[in-house]
Amino acid sequence: MSEDVSVVVVGSCMTDLVSQAPRLPKAGETIHGHRFFIGFGGKGANQCIQAARMGAKTAMVCKVGRDVFGNDYIQNFKNNGISTAYVEQTENAATGAASIIVNDTGENAIVIVAGANMLLGQEELQRALTAIVNAKVLVCQLEINPDTSLQALRMARENHVKTIFNPAPAIADMCSDFYKASDVFCCNESEAELLTGLSVTSVEDASQVGLELLNRGCGSVIVTLGPQGCVVCQSRNMAPKHIPTTAVTVADTTGAGDSFIGALAFYMAHYPTVSLEEMARRANLVAAVSVQTVGTQTSFPFRKDLPTELF
Ligand code: ATP
């Protein structure tokens, strides 16, 4: 079954528990909110969902708790056509959760408990080995143990599987081996700043920072720039290329970066002869659809919702 999986994501699942209230409570205080909802999140799962909705055959390698949130998350993957053969449940920690309080002016307070995500390790990767080495593209981030992400990237590279690495959330002292293990290193402005110490406020800054990251050993670098699209750096001998995007009416940008990366993974797996710049152009347009609807995974478009020129 795993032979025909084109995109494998090794990463996180988080359940978002969102309360909307007039204001954020003070320490020790109890207040009444006016809305509560549960959402599916986690960068790994988000990226996998977007790739699957584009039409990629996907498998998620992750760990959830043996609890109601874990059960629901597995059902969510199945509802999106994602293989759950490598989604493991543990008794030893709860499913990763983000408790989020949002006030009426949009400010928030968030507590993330990574829980079961941190128990994903070498043994689980070994059980998913067939899927990883037979994939076209492997995608990793940093919401799980970084050693697990690095090992997954290495397993893929050793087997000529293309890798996309999204260093999010960024860690200042990230192991330099991540660069060499990345065919495509894809980060946003703040991650690029944290990793290089250079400030990124313009397309020119992003180009410079992209070249700096390229020098650290990545195959290619993409720096995403929100409404300005992204910058693609492919080699020291080629000028970085700004890929602008279209102006849209924004409802909620949460998860835009994950939509972009999920779409990119789909294109790398299914259109390997298309240039990286063209893939980035198309991924911009997919992510631009996601920002026009509220929510994270709920805003990610399906193939049927996208213009045929993107395929
Ligand atoms: P987030 O943390 O909100 O998920 P991010 O900071 O990781 O996102 P961004 O660089 O903000 O990533 O956005 C990723 C991509 O989403 C951009 O490269 C672009 O293609 C698209 N995008 C984001 N914001 C907008 C916007 N306002 N208009 C159009 N496209 C957008």
Side-chain angles (χ1 to χ4, degrees):
M1 183 200 51
S2 50
E3 277 72 20
D4 59 3
V5 167
S6 61
V7 174
V8 172
V9 178
V10 175
S12 59
C13 298
M14 299 274 182
T15 304
D16 293 337
L17 304 167
V18 186
S19 298
Q20 291 177 333
R23 59 185 176 79
L24 305 181
K26 299 188 187 97
E29 188 187 20
T30 301
I31 61 169
H32 281 272
H34 41 69
R35 183 168 177 249
F36 173 78
F37 64 91
I38 296 179
F40 295 110
K43 289 174 189 298
N46 291 345
Q47 294 169 14
C48 195
I49 295 271
Q50 182 64 85
R53 290 187 183 175
M54 300 287 291
K57 283 210 168 175
T58 53
M60 186 73 200
V61 180
C62 64
K63 189 159 267 195
V64 295
R66 193 165 293 287
D67 51 30
V68 66
F69 295 129
N71 295 344
D72 285 356
Y73 220 123
I74 290 171
Q75 190 57 47
N76 179 48
F77 285 135
K78 289 182 177 162
N79 293 347
N80 282 278
I82 294 168
S83 167
T84 56
Y86 312 103
V87 179
E88 298 196 16
Q89 287 189 281
T90 177
E91 304 277 358
N92 298 328
T95 298
S99 300
I100 304 170
I101 304 169
V102 185
N103 71 14
D104 286 344
T105 57
E107 290 173 317
N108 59 39
I110 303 177
V111 177
I112 290 180
V113 180
N117 289 297
M118 298 316 281
L119 301 183
L120 185 71
Q122 188 161 343
E123 286 176 23
E124 292 75 16
L125 291 183
Q126 284 306 324
R127 286 195 278 274
L129 184 68
T130 315
I132 293 172
V133 304
N134 286 297
K136 302 253 184 313
V137 173
L138 176 95
V139 190
C140 288
Q141 321 71 25
L142 287 176
E143 276 186 345
I144 58 172
N145 184 331
D147 292 342
T148 307
S149 291
L150 185 56
Q151 197 188 349
L153 292 166
R154 284 177 170 152
M155 282 163 76
R157 290 275 297 211
E158 280 162 13
N159 290 281
H160 312 290
V161 176
K162 294 280 179 209
T163 58
I164 300 175
F165 176 55
N166 171 219
I171 38 180
D173 57 350
M174 189 180 80
C175 169
S176 62
D177 291 355
F178 275 105
Y179 298 106
K180 290 184 224 80
S182 306
D183 284 308
V184 178
F185 188 94
C186 185
C187 60
N188 67 15
E189 292 150 289
S190 59
E191 289 145 10
E193 282 190 5
L194 196 109
L195 291 169
T196 62
L198 302 168
S199 91
V200 182
T201 57
S202 65
V203 168
E204 292 68 36
D205 292 346
S207 303
Q208 207 186 342
V209 111
L211 288 174
E212 165 63 25
L213 292 168
L214 201 62
N215 277 332
R216 297 182 184 184
C218 317
S220 303
V221 175
I222 299 179
V223 181
T224 63
L225 298 168
Q228 294 199 83
C230 61
V231 165
V232 176
C233 300
Q234 292 193 74
S235 95
R236 278 150 284 277
N237 307 321
M238 268 169 85
K241 184 86 194 275
H242 176 217
I243 317 282
T245 188
T246 48
V248 295
T249 306
V250 174
D252 177 6
T253 63
T254 315
D258 295 335
S259 174
F260 181 97
I261 289 171
L264 180 68
F266 164 78
Y267 289 123
M268 282 174 61
H270 291 265
Y271 297 86
T273 57
V274 166
S275 71
L276 188 61
E277 290 173 5
E278 174 60 14
M279 292 188 208
R281 187 188 73 81
R282 296 186 199 182
N284 268 342
L285 298 177
V286 175
V289 174
S290 81
V291 303
Q292 295 175 64
T293 307
V294 174
T296 306
Q297 292 180 13
T298 49
S299 73
F300 290 179
F302 289 81
R303 188 183 183 109
K304 65 175 172 49
D305 306 320
L306 294 165
T308 50
E309 67 106 359
L310 292 182
F311 296 95

PDB file of all heavy atoms in Angstrom, residues 173-191:
ATOM      1  N   ASP A 173      19.515  27.779  17.905  1.00  0.00           N
ATOM      2  CA  ASP A 173      20.708  26.925  17.855  1.00  0.00           C
ATOM      3  C   ASP A 173      20.439  25.631  17.066  1.00  0.00           C
ATOM      4  O   ASP A 173      20.940  24.573  17.413  1.00  0.00           O
ATOM      5  CB  ASP A 173      21.179  26.593  19.271  1.00  0.00           C
ATOM      6  CG  ASP A 173      20.079  25.923  20.093  1.00  0.00           C
ATOM      7  OD1 ASP A 173      18.926  25.896  19.624  1.00  0.00           O
ATOM      8  OD2 ASP A 173      20.383  25.429  21.203  1.00  0.00           O
ATOM      9  N   MET A 174      19.655  25.754  15.990  1.00  0.00           N
ATOM     10  CA  MET A 174      19.308  24.568  15.189  1.00  0.00           C
ATOM     11  C   MET A 174      20.580  23.905  14.631  1.00  0.00           C
ATOM     12  O   MET A 174      21.496  24.579  14.158  1.00  0.00           O
ATOM     13  CB  MET A 174      18.400  25.005  14.024  1.00  0.00           C
ATOM     14  CG  MET A 174      17.813  23.857  13.257  1.00  0.00           C
ATOM     15  SD  MET A 174      16.780  24.461  11.909  1.00  0.00           S
ATOM     16  CE  MET A 174      18.037  24.846  10.696  1.00  0.00           C
ATOM     17  N   CYS A 175      20.588  22.573  14.680  1.00  0.00           N
ATOM     18  CA  CYS A 175      21.739  21.814  14.190  1.00  0.00           C
ATOM     19  C   CYS A 175      21.974  22.126  12.706  1.00  0.00           C
ATOM     20  O   CYS A 175      21.033  22.126  11.908  1.00  0.00           O
ATOM     21  CB  CYS A 175      21.421  20.324  14.388  1.00  0.00           C
ATOM     22  SG  CYS A 175      22.574  19.234  13.571  1.00  0.00           S
ATOM     23  N   SER A 176      23.237  22.374  12.357  1.00  0.00           N
ATOM     24  CA  SER A 176      23.537  22.781  10.975  1.00  0.00           C
ATOM     25  C   SER A 176      23.273  21.649   9.968  1.00  0.00           C
ATOM     26  O   SER A 176      23.162  21.901   8.768  1.00  0.00           O
ATOM     27  CB  SER A 176      24.976  23.266  10.876  1.00  0.00           C
ATOM     28  OG  SER A 176      25.830  22.198  11.218  1.00  0.00           O
ATOM     29  N   ASP A 177      23.158  20.404  10.441  1.00  0.00           N
ATOM     30  CA  ASP A 177      22.892  19.292   9.521  1.00  0.00           C
ATOM     31  C   ASP A 177      21.537  19.416   8.833  1.00  0.00           C
ATOM     32  O   ASP A 177      21.310  18.808   7.785  1.00  0.00           O
ATOM     33  CB  ASP A 177      22.938  17.950  10.279  1.00  0.00           C
ATOM     34  CG  ASP A 177      24.345  17.605  10.729  1.00  0.00           C
ATOM     35  OD1 ASP A 177      25.274  18.358  10.364  1.00  0.00           O
ATOM     36  OD2 ASP A 177      24.511  16.603  11.446  1.00  0.00           O
ATOM     37  N   PHE A 178      20.618  20.188   9.419  1.00  0.00           N
ATOM     38  CA  PHE A 178      19.311  20.364   8.774  1.00  0.00           C
ATOM     39  C   PHE A 178      19.445  20.990   7.384  1.00  0.00           C
ATOM     40  O   PHE A 178      18.677  20.685   6.482  1.00  0.00           O
ATOM     41  CB  PHE A 178      18.393  21.244   9.633  1.00  0.00           C
ATOM     42  CG  PHE A 178      17.645  20.478  10.688  1.00  0.00           C
ATOM     43  CD1 PHE A 178      18.024  20.554  12.019  1.00  0.00           C
ATOM     44  CD2 PHE A 178      16.550  19.689  10.352  1.00  0.00           C
ATOM     45  CE1 PHE A 178      17.324  19.847  12.994  1.00  0.00           C
ATOM     46  CE2 PHE A 178      15.857  18.973  11.325  1.00  0.00           C
ATOM     47  CZ  PHE A 178      16.243  19.052  12.647  1.00  0.00           C
ATOM     48  N   TYR A 179      20.420  21.892   7.231  1.00  0.00           N
ATOM     49  CA  TYR A 179      20.550  22.557   5.931  1.00  0.00           C
ATOM     50  C   TYR A 179      20.916  21.544   4.851  1.00  0.00           C
ATOM     51  O   TYR A 179      20.308  21.506   3.785  1.00  0.00           O
ATOM     52  CB  TYR A 179      21.603  23.679   6.012  1.00  0.00           C
ATOM     53  CG  TYR A 179      21.228  24.758   7.001  1.00  0.00           C
ATOM     54  CD1 TYR A 179      21.871  24.863   8.237  1.00  0.00           C
ATOM     55  CD2 TYR A 179      20.218  25.662   6.711  1.00  0.00           C
ATOM     56  CE1 TYR A 179      21.510  25.848   9.156  1.00  0.00           C
ATOM     57  CE2 TYR A 179      19.848  26.653   7.615  1.00  0.00           C
ATOM     58  CZ  TYR A 179      20.498  26.732   8.837  1.00  0.00           C
ATOM     59  OH  TYR A 179      20.130  27.691   9.739  1.00  0.00           O
ATOM     60  N   LYS A 180      21.912  20.716   5.154  1.00  0.00           N
ATOM     61  CA  LYS A 180      22.383  19.739   4.149  1.00  0.00           C
ATOM     62  C   LYS A 180      21.318  18.680   3.861  1.00  0.00           C
ATOM     63  O   LYS A 180      21.327  18.065   2.804  1.00  0.00           O
ATOM     64  CB  LYS A 180      23.671  19.076   4.635  1.00  0.00           C
ATOM     65  CG  LYS A 180      24.849  20.032   4.635  1.00  0.00           C
ATOM     66  CD  LYS A 180      26.121  19.306   5.037  1.00  0.00           C
ATOM     67  CE  LYS A 180      26.964  20.081   6.009  1.00  0.00           C
ATOM     68  NZ  LYS A 180      26.630  20.091   7.404  1.00  0.00           N
ATOM     69  N   ALA A 181      20.418  18.471   4.805  1.00  0.00           N
ATOM     70  CA  ALA A 181      19.382  17.442   4.617  1.00  0.00           C
ATOM     71  C   ALA A 181      18.149  17.987   3.875  1.00  0.00           C
ATOM     72  O   ALA A 181      17.198  17.246   3.658  1.00  0.00           O
ATOM     73  CB  ALA A 181      18.969  16.876   5.975  1.00  0.00           C
ATOM     74  N   SER A 182      18.186  19.277   3.489  1.00  0.00           N
ATOM     75  CA  SER A 182      17.005  19.905   2.878  1.00  0.00           C
ATOM     76  C   SER A 182      17.207  20.107   1.380  1.00  0.00           C
ATOM     77  O   SER A 182      18.083  20.882   0.973  1.00  0.00           O
ATOM     78  CB  SER A 182      16.752  21.284   3.494  1.00  0.00           C
ATOM     79  OG  SER A 182      16.658  21.197   4.892  1.00  0.00           O
ATOM     80  N   ASP A 183      16.390  19.436   0.558  1.00  0.00           N
ATOM     81  CA  ASP A 183      16.397  19.792  -0.870  1.00  0.00           C
ATOM     82  C   ASP A 183      15.775  21.170  -1.035  1.00  0.00           C
ATOM     83  O   ASP A 183      16.280  22.002  -1.784  1.00  0.00           O
ATOM     84  CB  ASP A 183      15.611  18.755  -1.681  1.00  0.00           C
ATOM     85  CG  ASP A 183      16.407  17.480  -1.857  1.00  0.00           C
ATOM     86  OD1 ASP A 183      17.564  17.571  -2.299  1.00  0.00           O
ATOM     87  OD2 ASP A 183      15.897  16.398  -1.513  1.00  0.00           O
ATOM     88  N   VAL A 184      14.651  21.380  -0.353  1.00  0.00           N
ATOM     89  CA  VAL A 184      14.041  22.718  -0.335  1.00  0.00           C
ATOM     90  C   VAL A 184      13.876  23.123   1.129  1.00  0.00           C
ATOM     91  O   VAL A 184      13.227  22.429   1.905  1.00  0.00           O
ATOM     92  CB  VAL A 184      12.677  22.739  -1.048  1.00  0.00           C
ATOM     93  CG1 VAL A 184      12.066  24.130  -0.959  1.00  0.00           C
ATOM     94  CG2 VAL A 184      12.815  22.313  -2.506  1.00  0.00           C
ATOM     95  N   PHE A 185      14.495  24.240   1.476  1.00  0.00           N
ATOM     96  CA  PHE A 185      14.412  24.785   2.833  1.00  0.00           C
ATOM     97  C   PHE A 185      13.427  25.931   2.748  1.00  0.00           C
ATOM     98  O   PHE A 185      13.683  26.923   2.053  1.00  0.00           O
ATOM     99  CB  PHE A 185      15.812  25.267   3.233  1.00  0.00           C
ATOM    100  CG  PHE A 185      15.965  25.695   4.658  1.00  0.00           C
ATOM    101  CD1 PHE A 185      16.416  24.805   5.625  1.00  0.00           C
ATOM    102  CD2 PHE A 185      15.681  27.006   5.029  1.00  0.00           C
ATOM    103  CE1 PHE A 185      16.579  25.205   6.947  1.00  0.00           C
ATOM    104  CE2 PHE A 185      15.846  27.410   6.345  1.00  0.00           C
ATOM    105  CZ  PHE A 185      16.293  26.509   7.304  1.00  0.00           C
ATOM    106  N   CYS A 186      12.265  25.796   3.382  1.00  0.00           N
ATOM    107  CA  CYS A 186      11.206  26.786   3.198  1.00  0.00           C
ATOM    108  C   CYS A 186      10.831  27.413   4.533  1.00  0.00           C
ATOM    109  O   CYS A 186      10.361  26.721   5.438  1.00  0.00           O
ATOM    110  CB  CYS A 186       9.981  26.109   2.565  1.00  0.00           C
ATOM    111  SG  CYS A 186       8.671  27.280   2.171  1.00  0.00           S
ATOM    112  N   CYS A 187      11.068  28.721   4.661  1.00  0.00           N
ATOM    113  CA  CYS A 187      10.787  29.402   5.934  1.00  0.00           C
ATOM    114  C   CYS A 187      10.099  30.729   5.673  1.00  0.00           C
ATOM    115  O   CYS A 187      10.098  31.224   4.546  1.00  0.00           O
ATOM    116  CB  CYS A 187      12.094  29.627   6.696  1.00  0.00           C
ATOM    117  SG  CYS A 187      13.294  30.636   5.823  1.00  0.00           S
ATOM    118  N   ASN A 188       9.517  31.301   6.737  1.00  0.00           N
ATOM    119  CA  ASN A 188       8.931  32.641   6.593  1.00  0.00           C
ATOM    120  C   ASN A 188       9.953  33.684   7.053  1.00  0.00           C
ATOM    121  O   ASN A 188      11.081  33.346   7.435  1.00  0.00           O
ATOM    122  CB  ASN A 188       7.584  32.733   7.331  1.00  0.00           C
ATOM    123  CG  ASN A 188       7.726  32.633   8.851  1.00  0.00           C
ATOM    124  OD1 ASN A 188       8.819  32.758   9.399  1.00  0.00           O
ATOM    125  ND2 ASN A 188       6.626  32.405   9.540  1.00  0.00           N
ATOM    126  N   GLU A 189       9.527  34.947   7.046  1.00  0.00           N
ATOM    127  CA  GLU A 189      10.483  36.034   7.340  1.00  0.00           C
ATOM    128  C   GLU A 189      11.060  35.919   8.754  1.00  0.00           C
ATOM    129  O   GLU A 189      12.265  36.063   8.956  1.00  0.00           O
ATOM    130  CB  GLU A 189       9.765  37.389   7.223  1.00  0.00           C
ATOM    131  CG  GLU A 189       9.353  37.750   5.828  1.00  0.00           C
ATOM    132  CD  GLU A 189       8.097  38.614   5.821  1.00  0.00           C
ATOM    133  OE1 GLU A 189       7.008  38.063   6.124  1.00  0.00           O
ATOM    134  OE2 GLU A 189       8.193  39.802   5.524  1.00  0.00           O
ATOM    135  N   SER A 190      10.182  35.652   9.745  1.00  0.00           N
ATOM    136  CA  SER A 190      10.681  35.657  11.125  1.00  0.00           C
ATOM    137  C   SER A 190      11.597  34.462  11.383  1.00  0.00           C
ATOM    138  O   SER A 190      12.586  34.577  12.122  1.00  0.00           O
ATOM    139  CB  SER A 190       9.534  35.722  12.133  1.00  0.00           C
ATOM    140  OG  SER A 190       8.690  34.629  11.967  1.00  0.00           O
ATOM    141  N   GLU A 191      11.302  33.327  10.759  1.00  0.00           N
ATOM    142  CA  GLU A 191      12.204  32.175  10.914  1.00  0.00           C
ATOM    143  C   GLU A 191      13.554  32.476  10.272  1.00  0.00           C
ATOM    144  O   GLU A 191      14.616  32.169  10.840  1.00  0.00           O
ATOM    145  CB  GLU A 191      11.560  30.933  10.289  1.00  0.00           C
ATOM    146  CG  GLU A 191      10.366  30.415  11.092  1.00  0.00           C
ATOM    147  CD  GLU A 191       9.237  29.832  10.275  1.00  0.00           C
ATOM    148  OE1 GLU A 191       9.390  29.632   9.050  1.00  0.00           O
ATOM    149  OE2 GLU A 191       8.175  29.577  10.857  1.00  0.00           O
TER     150      GLU A 191
END
